[in-house]
Amino acid sequence: MPEVNTVERRLQAGKHEVSALLTLPADARGLYVFAHGAGAGMRHPFMESASAALARHGVGSYRFQFPYMENGRKAPDRAPVLQDTIRAVVADAAEAAPDLPLIAGGKSMGGRMTSLLAAEGGLTQVQALVFFGFPLHAAGKPSADRGAHLKQVNRPLLFLQGTRDKLADLTLLRPLCDELGPRARLHVIDGGDHSFAVPKKTGRTAEEVMEELTTAVERFCRDVVG
């Protein structure tokens, strides 16, 4: 396994200072700006596991805290604050690893905030987007409305989704990906919920599921950023 280096960083995002973790394997072929979900920060076990697995596949990651999480608050910041943070982290990532192509996205809310910013033209440095559990709708309220802005994102998109994800009905997400055309890919985890946990009866471990997820990211990166 190649040497992996993780560095703690601090950066200014608008009026807020936030902490971040830059993980780079020696053979990195890309850097993924990895935003956390609404209820868990950059050190959540899922984020830690995903970053470590991505590194094994030659993809660096740049995790960071949104201001509300940095300050120990439960309620997420308003969208402009979240998006200003993503914008600042992407700019810092470009400076920290100027020779690596940038991918952006994240877990659930973090991925959606990234795509909204990209739809507005705010992520010119980013070559592709990757979503770990895109939150297409609220639980029990199936709708594709939250994905309408994706039609304005002119970059390759990878959706990693579980078949039991209550925030993304696949009967709605599949047609949306079809509408987006060849730039959108959908990789489905059979039995996975919004956190990609699968029933014990599948016989699969969390590590095996994470390996499948990050292998899909590696293949996507090879195809779209080289």
Side-chain angles (χ1 to χ4, degrees), residues 2-134:
E3 179 183 353
V4 178
N5 186 36
T6 297
V7 178
E8 295 190 15
R9 297 173 71 88
R10 300 283 298 178
L11 64 146
Q12 196 70 29
K15 299 179 180 179
H16 307 276
E17 186 175 316
V18 297
S19 55
L21 293 168
L22 174 62
T23 299
L24 282 177
D27 63 346
R29 65 178 61 89
L31 180 57
Y32 179 45
V33 177
F34 193 5
H36 64 74
M42 68 179 183
R43 295 185 185 274
H44 184 271
F46 180 89
M47 301 288 288
E48 295 274 6
S49 177
S51 294
L54 286 168
R56 292 194 295 272
H57 285 280
V59 180
S61 62
Y62 196 162
R63 288 173 282 157
F64 60 96
Q65 299 281 68
F66 285 118
Y68 76 96
M69 190 65 68
E70 184 78 9
N71 295 313
R73 292 184 280 110
K74 292 184 178 181
D77 303 297
R78 292 183 178 276
V81 174
L82 299 175
Q83 292 175 3
D84 282 348
T85 306
I86 295 167
R87 186 184 289 108
V89 175
V90 167
D92 195 57
E95 291 185 9
D99 297 329
L100 293 179
L102 292 184
I103 307 108
K107 181 73 181 77
S108 194
M109 178 199 74
R112 181 169 175 263
M113 287 298 112
T114 303
S115 64
L116 283 165
L117 183 56
E120 295 170 0
L123 293 179
T124 56
Q125 311 100 313
V126 171
Q127 295 188 23
L129 301 182
V130 173
F131 308 109
F132 283 88
F134 187 86

Side-chain angles (χ1 to χ4, degrees), residues 18 52 64 112 152 155 171 210 219 226:
V18 297
F64 60 96
R112 181 169 175 263
Q152 309 305 317
R155 291 170 180 78
T171 64
M210 184 59 73
R219 290 172 179 165

